Amino acid sequence: MASTRTTVAPPSDRVRLIVASSVMLSFISFWRAAAIVLNDLGSSAFYAGGIAEQAIGKSAPWFILGIMLFSFAVRAVYVESCSMFTRGGVYRVVKEALGGTFAKLSVSALMFDYILTGPISGVSAGQYIVGLMNELVHVLNDYHWLPPAMMPNGVPYQFNVDHTSAVFAAIVTTYYWWQNVKGIEESSDKALRVMQITTVMVVIMLTWGVYSVLAQGAHLPPLPTPANLKFSDDALGFLKHMPNLLPSLGMFGILMAFGHSILAMSGEESLAQVNREIEHPKLKNLKRAAIVIAIYSLIFTGGATLLASMLIPDGPRTLIYRDNLIAGLAMYLSGPNTIKIVFRVFVVLVGFLILSGAINTSMIGSTGVLQRVAEDGVLTDWFRKPHHKFGSPSRIVNLVFILQMFTIVATRGNVITLGEAYAFGVIWSFTFNALAMLVLRWKYKGERGWKVPPNIRIGKTEIPIGLICVFLVLLSTAITNLFTKSVATVSGIVFAGTFFIIFTVSERQNKRKHALTARQMKDHFQLEHQDTISRESVDIKPGGVMVTMRDPANPFALKWALAHHASDDSDIVVLSVRIMAAGGPEFLSPEEQNFSEHEQMLFTKAISVAESFGKTVSLLVVPAGDIFAALAQSANNLEVDSIVSGVSTKMTSEAQAYHLGQAWEALPQPKRQFNFHVIEPNGQSKVFYIGPHAPNLSPDDVQLVHRLWLNMRRDPTVSDLHHSDIITFALTRLAGQYAREKVEILRDIRNYRAANLPMDSGPPPQQLTGGRPAADSHDAAPPRTR
């Protein structure tokens, strides 16, 4: 007879851990997205033309223009890949279509592209600066202003262009390495400002250049026919040992020349990197950004190269200005020398901004690619471990820095050698991406947001004519480059092969290690994956406290929260933000979320600290592209009253509050106000109010309002006046005046603050990063120390 007793399973001793699947992001406009890509793509305008002419002769500008027109088609492939479910750049697209082996090959080639972007941009920036310095030495000598120390043997001293440029590139690379180790992120605001300044230079240069062409009667460069191509020995590569083949190159020669100009199209991968952050409607704004990028790069890179070939005589162009073509263009415009030198200084300044920015972009991009590979379990957790002080992926940054410095030293600042090698990664990353998209056309039959045109349907079969043509052009160019770009072929294959071997060996070791970590996580934690995070899904009451935790060795923020919120009515959520690399996906399945040993230690420590206080805490992991966006969105979704965070090692408490307030401003309605507590290691705290709140009025301010109220209500027509009416009226009038007299109002406010701040008070708590006053939504209360 069956038993009727109810058997109750013993309670599990595992702690519940919620893992979010949706990545929390901050969003940018398509203009800002275009500016970020152009900061990388636009840098090639400063060196691509000179490198191409050294390789293929005076017809190079036509091939640069052809490359820029072809980039419309390549960019269309990236737009289609970004519009699909498969997002995140070459690595993820190739892995989805062709599997892990091809993905590791493609990312190895892409890493070669990114690693060389930094050195070639840094050396090119150095070429422009050193060229200007040497030019100014001659000018000073002409006016007899040069000191005797700069006149060895009676001849003006000239800096060695290559070696000095290499030193400059090494210094700038070291600076950006330290910035990335500290985790200081480049903002889209900065990228937009750089492109605004660059646009001013481009407009002046093109307008002045067209006028100079008309005034001087310049001629177009030779047409891009096989007869007009003059390949250098380096450009012929392995074919230079076959002299009988050269006269019959024909169309193969055209393809060779095309391949030697391909580096003008570098930076396209950045479009896939920023796609995730583009605001909605995403596809529409992505296409807008792609069009802006295409037109701008065509006009800038193509137009500048063509004008330089028309205005700079052959001798100076190939001997003096081959590595700083736009600077040479400035010196051969029509007009007085003084104005041309001033414009050249402006060109060098813009070149420094955009080229040095490209160094940082390359470091961020290569770090992001390696982070995505590490997140996928291809690199060991050793690389994922954050810096003990700054929380950045410093070990990956260090690896990228070492490779870039090695490249600078090995090439000794020779931009031609760098350009030759650089093209390997550019063309092969494009080719793998196009092949993957072609495979996905047959592998994935669902609807797409957009497709590369044209497409022909025969019965039930759709033939992607446009995509096939783009792939065949890229593949033909890549294969041609293998035989004609010996430097690129040897260095690229060695580099990519080394990385591929490292990835393969590391992945095999990682699989065993991750399997062990996964079992340990399941033994100690009850993992629950939620698409979105809400108060109900985490099972907490409104008005709780959210504590951020990054370092298991320093849980002082959690200890402070537990000590100051001892009541059982106040739920505490311990939040760990898993920063996803740039260009990552917007949604992560449970299989894609691998826990590292660092995260396991983090949550184990959180539970241990909570138990020592006799409290229970909820554990939460959220993937995010930006830490402050994650905090603001999580706090709003969980309906907490307070966020508690440790003091940052790379920014002040006021700066943390400012950035959190900016993230709060970007949230959609409805959104809650909350307090932001920043805890120092000694237990002291500063509290900031995030969201609209009543300002802290001084006793003098209250007295002033009261006196105005007494005086005004003597008039019988406003005898029912309230104190709040006076404040509302004053604010409304100030808003109207500010709209009409912005400059005057700001000047008066600055003067008022300067006159009323105590001399020894230091900067006011409201004064945040960059000297900008905090908006009311993230104002600092006079920080309360506890």
Side-chain angles (χ1 to χ4, degrees):
M1 183 175 177
S3 173
T4 57
R5 291 182 58 187
T6 302
T7 303
V8 179
S12 172
D13 60 351
R14 294 186 299 165
V15 179
R16 186 168 177 248
L17 173 60
I18 307 293
V19 185
S21 299
S22 296
V23 181
M24 295 186 175
L25 303 168
S26 56
F27 295 102
I28 57 175
S29 67
F30 74 90
W31 285 110
R32 293 177 186 273
I36 292 170
V37 177
L38 284 169
N39 266 260
D40 187 6
L41 185 61
S43 64
S44 61
F46 287 85
Y47 53 76
I51 293 174
E53 183 167 352
Q54 290 296 307
I56 64 178
K58 293 195 291 185
S59 296
W62 296 116
F63 287 95
I64 295 292
L65 281 169
I67 287 290
M68 302 322 296
L69 289 171
F70 180 61
S71 71
F72 280 73
V74 175
R75 202 167 289 112
V77 176
Y78 276 94
V79 171
E80 178 174 337
S81 71
C82 292
S83 70
M84 294 179 59
F85 66 96
T86 305
R87 294 175 179 153
V90 169
Y91 173 69
R92 285 191 172 275
V93 172
V94 174
K95 184 177 181 182
E96 181 67 30
L98 304 172
T101 300
F102 272 99
K104 289 191 284 288
L105 279 173
S106 67
V107 84
S108 299
L110 182 61
M111 281 301 301
F112 192 58
D113 178 353
Y114 270 127
I115 293 299
L116 263 70
T117 297
I120 195 173
S121 298
V123 168
S124 184
Q127 299 271 4
Y128 276 80
I129 291 173
V130 176
L132 176 62
M133 290 164 56
N134 286 341
E135 190 87 29
L136 290 176
V137 167
H138 282 296
V139 172
L140 293 174
N141 183 56
D142 292 341
Y143 286 94
H144 306 290
W145 293 344
L146 203 63
M150 295 291 291
M151 295 283 291
N153 302 320
V155 179
Y157 180 80
Q158 294 287 279
F159 296 92
N160 183 291
V161 176
D162 285 354
H163 294 170
T164 311
S165 298
V167 172
F168 172 83
I171 292 171
V172 177
T173 302
T174 302
Y175 167 78
Y176 280 118
W177 160 75
W178 183 235
Q179 292 292 98
N180 280 273
V181 166
K182 291 191 293 185
I184 297 175
E185 299 176 357
E186 288 293 295
S187 68
S188 60
D189 289 339
K190 182 177 179 180
L192 192 60
R193 285 195 296 271
V194 169
M195 289 316 302
Q196 287 168 345
I197 297 170
T198 304
T199 302
V200 172
M201 185 209 75
V202 171
V203 170
I204 295 173
M205 181 184 65
L206 294 181
T207 305
W208 197 352
V210 170
Y211 167 77
S212 300
V213 166
L214 297 175
Q216 299 175 22
H219 299 286
L220 291 169
L223 293 175
T225 61
N228 289 330
L229 298 177
K230 307 295 181 186
F231 293 102
S232 66
D233 285 346
D234 289 337
L236 289 170
F238 300 113
L239 298 183
K240 68 181 178 182
H241 303 296
M242 294 180 278
N244 296 330
L245 179 65
L246 300 184
S248 60
L249 286 175
M251 288 305 297
F252 183 69
I254 298 291
L255 198 58
M256 286 172 57
F258 193 77
H260 282 282
S261 309
I262 200 76
L263 77 164
M265 196 168 51
S266 65
E268 295 288 350
E269 172 70 8
S270 300
L271 183 63
Q273 305 286 349
V274 301
N275 167 66
R276 185 180 65 171
E277 317 293 332
I278 296 177
E279 65 186 6
H280 295 278
K282 186 178 290 291
L283 179 58
K284 185 177 181 180
N285 284 326
L286 174 66
K287 289 160 70 174
R288 286 173 174 172
I291 290 296
V292 170
I293 294 163
I295 295 174
Y296 195 104
S297 56
L298 173 64
I299 294 173
F300 182 22
T301 306
T305 306
L306 185 62
L307 285 173
S309 69
M310 295 171 69
L311 292 172
I312 307 175
D314 292 350
R317 190 177 67 250
T318 56
L319 296 176
I320 302 174
Y321 297 114
R322 67 174 191 175
D323 297 329
N324 52 4
L325 208 57
I326 298 180
L329 174 60
M331 297 307 296
Y332 282 89
L333 296 169
S334 298
N337 273 340
T338 304
I339 298 177
K340 289 191 286 186
I341 290 174
V342 171
F343 182 60
R344 180 173 177 179
V345 172
F346 182 42
V347 167
V348 171
L349 173 64
V350 172
F352 170 77
L353 288 174
I354 197 167
L355 287 165
S356 62
I359 299 173
N360 193 38
T361 301
S362 74
M363 197 167 287
I364 294 171
S366 48
T367 301
V369 169
L370 290 178
Q371 273 187 277
R372 291 203 304 276
V373 170
E375 289 161 5
D376 225 30
V378 176
L379 278 181
T380 61
D381 284 347
W382 184 87
F383 286 99
R384 292 178 66 186
K385 188 174 181 180
H387 191 278
H388 69 281
K389 182 177 181 182
F390 302 118
S392 63
S394 58
R395 291 173 176 175
I396 292 178
V397 175
N398 292 340
L399 173 62
V400 173
F401 171 71
I402 291 169
L403 290 171
Q404 290 190 333
M405 290 296 287
F406 171 79
T407 303
I408 293 170
V409 173
T411 58
R412 296 184 179 87
N414 189 316
V415 76
I416 303 298
T417 303
L418 284 166
E420 284 293 299
Y422 184 30
F424 179 90
V426 175
I427 187 63
W428 280 104
S429 63
F430 289 161
T431 303
F432 276 120
N433 192 59
L435 173 62
M437 291 307 301
L438 197 57
V439 170
L440 286 175
R441 280 291 189 100
W442 275 274
K443 189 174 180 180
Y444 173 64
K445 300 295 185 180
E447 286 297 319
R448 286 166 171 74
W450 191 80
K451 296 178 181 179
V452 177
N455 299 282
I456 299 175
R457 183 170 292 277
I458 300 176
K460 294 183 178 181
T461 304
E462 183 181 72
I463 302 177
I465 300 296
L467 197 52
I468 291 173
C469 290
V470 173
F471 168 68
L472 290 177
V473 172
L474 289 171
L475 180 63
S476 303
T477 306
I479 293 173
T480 302
N481 280 8
L482 281 179
F483 295 99
T484 61
K485 297 177 77 68
S486 53
V487 173
T489 299
V490 174
S491 59
I493 288 177
V494 169
F495 182 95
T498 302
F499 255 92
F500 179 77
I501 292 170
I502 292 172
F503 288 151
T504 303
V505 173
S506 177
E507 185 178 32
R508 288 177 181 173
Q509 293 179 345
N510 237 17
K511 283 182 178 179
R512 293 191 295 270
K513 199 169 185 180
H514 275 175
L516 176 61
T517 304
R519 286 197 299 272
Q520 290 175 341
M521 287 295 293
K522 289 180 180 178
D523 288 342
H524 296 93
F525 299 98
Q526 180 184 338
L527 302 179
E528 292 187 17
H529 292 267
Q530 304 279 352
D531 289 351
T532 57
I533 295 302
S534 66
R535 185 175 56 78
E536 291 78 14
S537 65
V538 182
D539 192 22
I540 59 172
K541 298 183 287 292
V545 178
M546 188 174 78
V547 184
T548 67
M549 193 166 177
R550 177 176 60 85
D551 184 3
N554 296 297
F556 49 85
L558 177 58
K559 290 181 178 179
W560 185 93
L562 290 166
H564 287 79
H565 296 83
S567 170
D568 291 334
D569 294 331
S570 184
D571 290 325
I572 295 179
V573 179
V574 178
L575 174 76
S576 174
V577 179
R578 180 184 289 169
I579 296 296
M580 305 300 296
E586 297 173 39
F587 184 86
L588 290 166
S589 64
E591 295 77 19
E592 293 177 299
Q593 303 211 39
N594 294 317
F595 282 91
S596 65
E597 291 180 354
H598 172 78
E599 289 175 317
Q600 187 178 2
M601 291 172 59
L602 195 73
F603 292 116
T604 302
K605 184 66 175 181
I607 293 300
S608 175
V609 171
E611 288 176 346
S612 69
F613 279 81
K615 291 277 291 183
T616 59
V617 294
S618 300
L619 303 180
L620 177 61
V621 180
V622 293
D626 174 79
I627 180 70
F628 295 105
L631 293 180
Q633 292 178 42
S634 298
N636 198 51
N637 292 350
L638 296 176
E639 301 178 31
V640 299
D641 283 348
S642 299
I643 295 179
V644 180
S645 178
V647 66
S648 172
T649 54
K650 58 188 178 185
M651 63 178 70
T652 64
S653 302
E654 287 77 14
Q656 287 177 262
Y658 175 80
H659 288 294
L660 182 58
Q662 291 293 90
W664 185 89
E665 291 285 4
L667 292 177
Q669 294 290 356
K671 49 189 177 183
R672 290 170 54 92
Q673 302 158 240
F674 52 83
N675 297 331
F676 178 48
H677 300 267
V678 181
I679 315 301
E680 297 179 358
N682 60 8
Q684 291 187 328
S685 72
K686 288 182 179 179
V687 59
F688 303 87
Y689 305 129
I690 306 298
H693 58 273
N696 291 308
L697 297 178
S698 68
D700 290 341
D701 294 331
V702 175
Q703 285 293 333
L704 177 59
V705 173
H706 186 65
R707 284 199 304 272
L708 287 170
W709 175 76
L710 287 173
N711 290 331
M712 289 180 182
R713 71 188 301 269
R714 290 172 184 168
D715 189 319
T717 59
V718 288
S719 59
D720 59 345
L721 188 69
H722 298 285
H723 289 73
S724 59
D725 295 330
I726 295 172
I727 295 175
T728 302
F729 176 77
L731 290 174
T732 304
R733 171 167 283 192
L734 176 62
Q737 288 180 327
Y738 181 73
R740 297 188 302 270
E741 307 167 13
K742 180 177 180 178
V743 175
E744 292 80 1
I745 293 294
L746 291 176
R747 181 197 61 215
D748 291 344
I749 287 179
R750 283 194 299 269
N751 293 339
Y752 170 81
R753 284 169 58 81
N756 287 275
L757 278 176
M759 293 299 292
D760 60 346
S761 66
Q766 295 89 343
Q767 198 72 14
L768 302 186
T769 320
R772 292 175 294 181
D776 192 44
S777 61
H778 40 98
D779 206 359
R784 300 198 296 256
T785 303
R786 296 182 179 179

